[in-house]
Amino acid sequence: MGAIRIFLFLLAICCFGCGGAHAEKRVALVIGNSAYKIAQRLANPVNDASLVGNMLKKAGFDQVDVKLDLNAAEMRRALRDFGGRTREADVAVVYYAGHGIELDGTNYLIPTDATLE
């Protein structure tokens, strides 16, 4: 919960504290994964993603895509599509809530259909 507060504080500073930010094109991808096939359902990620998505819309982002409970193929597609939109954006934000893992110094976001071995 503390990480969310820090993120929201930093985002508010970026969105509201910059003088010319309203002329910039701002896009966001928000992903919330709660319904994992191999793990108990998480209570907060879908709710957190929905709240952050609404906050970004109210902050004046030009495009906010909120994606919930994505499997691997859907996550790849969402990230690929978002990558295309960032080429013409001045500000791009990705917010992820759900399971993640760090392996050998690399962080991974876990899709809902993942099988960990």
Side-chain angles (χ1 to χ4, degrees):
M1 190 66 176
I4 292 173
R5 288 187 181 136
I6 292 170
F7 169 80
L8 295 176
F9 174 74
L10 293 174
L11 185 62
I13 290 172
C14 291
C15 292
F16 302 115
C18 301
H22 296 294
E24 298 176 334
K25 181 174 181 182
R26 298 178 291 171
V27 297
L29 172 62
V30 178
I31 299 173
N33 283 347
S34 288
Y36 287 90
K37 291 182 180 180
I38 62 164
Q40 192 172 25
R41 181 174 181 81
L42 299 175
N44 293 328
V46 166
N47 296 335
D48 292 347
S50 297
L51 290 171
V52 169
N54 286 332
M55 182 204 57
L56 292 169
K57 289 174 186 175
K58 288 179 183 177
F61 272 66
D62 300 297
Q63 185 172 10
V64 178
D65 293 328
V66 177
K67 307 286 187 176
L68 306 175
D69 292 325
L70 301 180
N71 63 35
E74 293 167 336
M75 280 184 73
R76 281 191 294 274
R77 184 175 26 258
L79 290 165
R80 183 181 59 244
D81 292 347
F82 182 69
R85 285 192 297 281
T86 64
R87 289 185 181 92
E88 296 183 14
D90 299 303
V91 175
V93 172
V94 175
Y95 175 86
Y96 175 77
H99 281 305
I101 192 168
E102 181 266 329
L103 181 64
D104 295 328
T106 302
N107 294 306
Y108 298 91
L109 308 179
I110 307 297
T112 58
D113 62 347
T115 302
L116 303 179
E117 298 178 8

